[in-house]
Amino acid sequence: MKSSNSIGTLMHLPINEIDPGDYTNIPEFLLKATANILKQNGGRNWIPVIVKDIGKDSYQVIGNSFVYAVAEEAGLERVWCIIADDNDDTTKLAKILAGEEKPKINLSTASRDEIMAALQYLKEQPNSEIKSVILAVATNKIYEAPRKYWKNFEPLIKLKCGITGKQLDAIKSVFDLTPQSMPDTINDVTLLRTMTVVQLKEIAKKRGIAGISKMKKDALIEELS
């Protein structure tokens, strides 16, 4: 492996030393038309390919794979590249910056503005799954929910914010979660309301609260809070 001093360096690498990595599916027209333009303009890729060093005289594309594919189609012997480190986070960032992978917002910690921006992005997509969702209502309900404890996106459905089970795949495309451990003692009314009666009775039983067998959800929440 080369010295870490090469990280961040612009290098003119032989294309036969570069593994294409996760090759993107590029329409043949775009590939050939862009390759022709590249050759007509001196054959220099002004936007470099992002690669990581994987061995002696060996690299792998981690970003701007379209540029690499065009250079290969154009028959270039060498291609300009930026050398990145081999950290998985670097690879993910390179793909996001190159527009090859969609970024996600951490719903566990997202601000109100971030939640609204993500939902609005989804709403504006062609054939949007959440077209009928009222942004202000959904944003407020999600922001005020105990999101930091969610282990999956199912609690969204219980919020009655307009998001249904059929729309969760769309939600997962813009959000991810990093859940915290549930506290030993739960007093948060908002969090308690997301639980089932069975779960609430179990907590009440552990606390030694009497008469729980006849209590309904509201009464259980009141006792536990």
Side-chain angles (χ1 to χ4, degrees), residues 89 91-107 114 117-119 121-122 125 153 169-177:
D89 288 339
T91 298
K92 185 177 181 66
L93 176 60
K95 290 183 182 299
I96 289 172
L97 290 174
E100 296 166 0
E101 188 173 311
K102 188 183 293 182
K104 293 185 180 182
I105 288 174
N106 184 0
L107 189 58
E114 287 173 331
L119 293 178
Y121 168 79
L122 284 179
Q125 296 309 296
F153 293 95
D169 282 344
I171 295 298
K172 292 174 187 176
S173 73
V174 294
F175 291 116
D176 54 20
L177 295 166

Side-chain angles (χ1 to χ4, degrees), residues 105-111 114-115 143 147-148 176 178 180:
I105 288 174
N106 184 0
L107 189 58
S108 303
T109 58
S111 69
E114 287 173 331
I115 294 169
Y143 179 73
R147 302 166 279 130
K148 60 185 178 181
D176 54 20
T178 54
Q180 294 182 18

Side-chain angles (χ1 to χ4, degrees), residues 24-220:
T24 49
N25 218 356
I26 303 166
E28 189 174 0
F29 162 71
L30 292 179
L31 193 59
K32 292 186 178 300
T34 310
N36 286 335
I37 294 171
L38 178 62
K39 288 187 286 186
Q40 292 165 12
N41 286 272
R44 175 169 182 139
N45 58 299
W46 291 100
I47 297 177
V49 179
I50 312 301
V51 300
K52 65 179 180 180
D53 186 353
I54 57 173
K56 181 176 173 54
D57 299 327
S58 185
Y59 303 86
Q60 186 177 70
V61 177
I62 63 169
N64 284 339
S65 55
F66 174 73
V67 178
Y68 171 86
V70 169
E72 186 179 48
E73 177 69 24
L76 301 189
E77 293 183 0
R78 287 179 174 269
V79 60
W80 287 99
C81 302
I82 295 287
I83 312 299
D85 62 50
D86 60 358
N87 187 292
D88 288 343
D89 288 339
T90 300
T91 298
K92 185 177 181 66
L93 176 60
K95 290 183 182 299
I96 289 172
L97 290 174
E100 296 166 0
E101 188 173 311
K102 188 183 293 182
K104 293 185 180 182
I105 288 174
N106 184 0
L107 189 58
S108 303
T109 58
S111 69
R112 190 187 298 270
D113 287 345
E114 287 173 331
I115 294 169
M116 177 167 278
L119 293 178
Q120 185 163 351
Y121 168 79
L122 284 179
K123 196 175 175 71
E124 291 173 350
Q125 296 309 296
N127 303 314
S128 172
E129 293 286 339
I130 69 162
K131 206 170 189 71
S132 61
V133 172
I134 301 172
L135 280 179
V137 172
T139 298
N140 287 335
K141 288 194 174 185
I142 294 170
Y143 179 73
E144 292 167 1
R147 302 166 279 130
K148 60 185 178 181
Y149 303 119
W150 290 358
K151 295 181 180 179
N152 54 54
F153 293 95
E154 294 296 326
L156 275 172
I157 303 170
K158 297 177 183 178
L159 292 180
K160 297 182 179 179
C161 62
I163 295 172
T164 66
K166 293 180 180 179
Q167 297 163 327
L168 289 187
D169 282 344
I171 295 298
K172 292 174 187 176
S173 73
V174 294
F175 291 116
D176 54 20
L177 295 166
T178 54
Q180 294 182 18
S181 298
M182 194 75 76
D184 293 333
T185 302
I186 304 171
N187 303 106
D188 186 336
V189 174
T190 307
L191 179 54
L192 291 169
R193 288 197 182 281
T194 65
M195 297 180 176
T196 64
V197 172
V198 173
Q199 290 171 322
L200 293 171
K201 285 185 176 181
E202 184 63 30
I203 295 171
K205 184 178 179 181
K206 289 179 180 178
R207 292 196 199 171
I209 297 173
I212 60 174
S213 60
K214 296 181 180 180
M215 287 186 185
K216 293 186 178 179
K217 187 167 185 174
D218 286 344
L220 283 164

